[in-house]
Amino acid sequence: MDKATMEVLARRAGLDKALAEFPEDVAAAAKQAADVASRIRQPADPAAEPWPPMRAGSGL
């Protein structure tokens, strides 16, 4: 993630003060978040549910 994108995302998340006081920490957190996001697999069919739908009162 480039520095400009990281700064925009940090400001949109309300991290202006953290960005001003601890820019290295915000950059490290952004790198970790990008690494985790890259490892998450997106479902082949977004409409498919990963588990059966929840129904109140069923199975009790």
Side-chain angles (χ1 to χ4, degrees):
M1 178 181 308
D2 65 355
K3 184 177 178 181
T5 302
M6 186 256 325
E7 288 178 358
V8 168
L9 290 173
R11 286 194 173 89
R12 290 192 68 191
L15 299 173
D16 297 322
K17 187 175 179 181
L19 186 59
E21 293 181 23
F22 309 104
E24 300 87 16
D25 293 337
V26 173
K31 182 183 179 318
Q32 281 184 327
D35 290 345
V36 169
S38 71
R39 287 184 276 167
I40 295 174
R41 288 184 264 145
Q42 294 192 5
D45 181 10
E49 294 188 43
W51 53 79
M54 310 276 177
R55 293 190 193 108
S58 66
L60 295 176

